[in-house]
Amino acid sequence: QYSMQPYRADRRRLNVCVLKVPESSKKVAQERAKEDYNYCVDTLKIDPDCIVSCYRAGAKDPQKPDFCRPLIIKMGEEKDVDYWTFNGRGYNTGCIAPSGDFIYINKDLCKADREANFQARKANVERKNKKAAEKKKEEE
């Protein structure tokens, strides 16, 4: 049985994901895409030479008019992805979303990748807590 996961992961490796970017209110899709591109260049200060394309992930939900779909930016080279995500840790742009939160640029990861990262962080925290408890027990 052939798995599509490695193929999809390879396609995503040049993508970065920007959350909480305000959505355009324009009716025409091309105008919304142009506004998103301009946001990347003007507000996030991403070099236009690094950007291959940018688009919104998913469909707009009329039941949630204030929800901002993730903005996916396809970069030209892997070094650009590493630069804008601080080698995968996420980059705080300093821009504030309408919700009041900071806007971050992150690597575009599939659900399985996000889950694996979460489990690794969780195991790391548990290991640190166990070590701290052992140290505290030795001191008593």
Side-chain angles (χ1 to χ4, degrees), residues 102-140:
F102 282 105
I103 295 175
Y104 283 85
I105 299 176
N106 298 295
K107 280 193 171 186
D108 179 25
L109 303 173
C110 70
K111 186 174 181 178
D113 293 338
R114 290 191 306 269
E115 181 66 22
N117 287 347
F118 173 75
Q119 294 300 330
R121 287 192 308 271
K122 186 176 171 185
N124 208 8
V125 168
E126 289 172 0
R127 191 173 27 246
K128 285 180 182 178
N129 290 342
K130 184 178 178 183
K131 205 175 209 180
E134 288 173 358
K135 187 175 181 180
K136 187 176 179 182
K137 193 174 185 178
E138 285 177 6
E139 291 175 356
E140 292 176 347

Side-chain angles (χ1 to χ4, degrees), residues 14-47:
L14 294 178
N15 291 353
V16 295
C17 181
V18 188
L19 302 176
K20 301 177 185 167
V21 173
E23 293 245 12
S24 171
S25 59
K26 307 256 191 230
K27 297 289 183 197
V28 180
Q30 291 168 330
E31 291 175 4
R32 289 193 307 267
K34 180 72 171 160
E35 203 167 290
D36 286 339
Y37 178 82
N38 289 339
Y39 187 89
C40 295
V41 173
D42 299 336
T43 306
L44 300 179
K45 307 291 187 215
I46 297 176
D47 184 2

Side-chain angles (χ1 to χ4, degrees), residues 58-107:
K60 189 142 179 77
D61 186 354
Q63 303 297 324
K64 300 177 185 175
D66 295 335
F67 178 74
C68 299
R69 295 175 293 161
L71 180 62
I72 307 297
I73 305 169
K74 184 166 186 71
M75 299 289 199
E77 298 181 36
E78 201 158 354
K79 69 179 179 61
D80 299 329
V81 173
D82 290 340
Y83 176 80
W84 285 103
T85 61
F86 276 0
N87 293 315
R89 290 194 303 270
Y91 171 69
N92 183 347
T93 63
C95 301
I96 306 289
S99 64
D101 298 325
F102 282 105
I103 295 175
Y104 283 85
I105 299 176
N106 298 295
K107 280 193 171 186

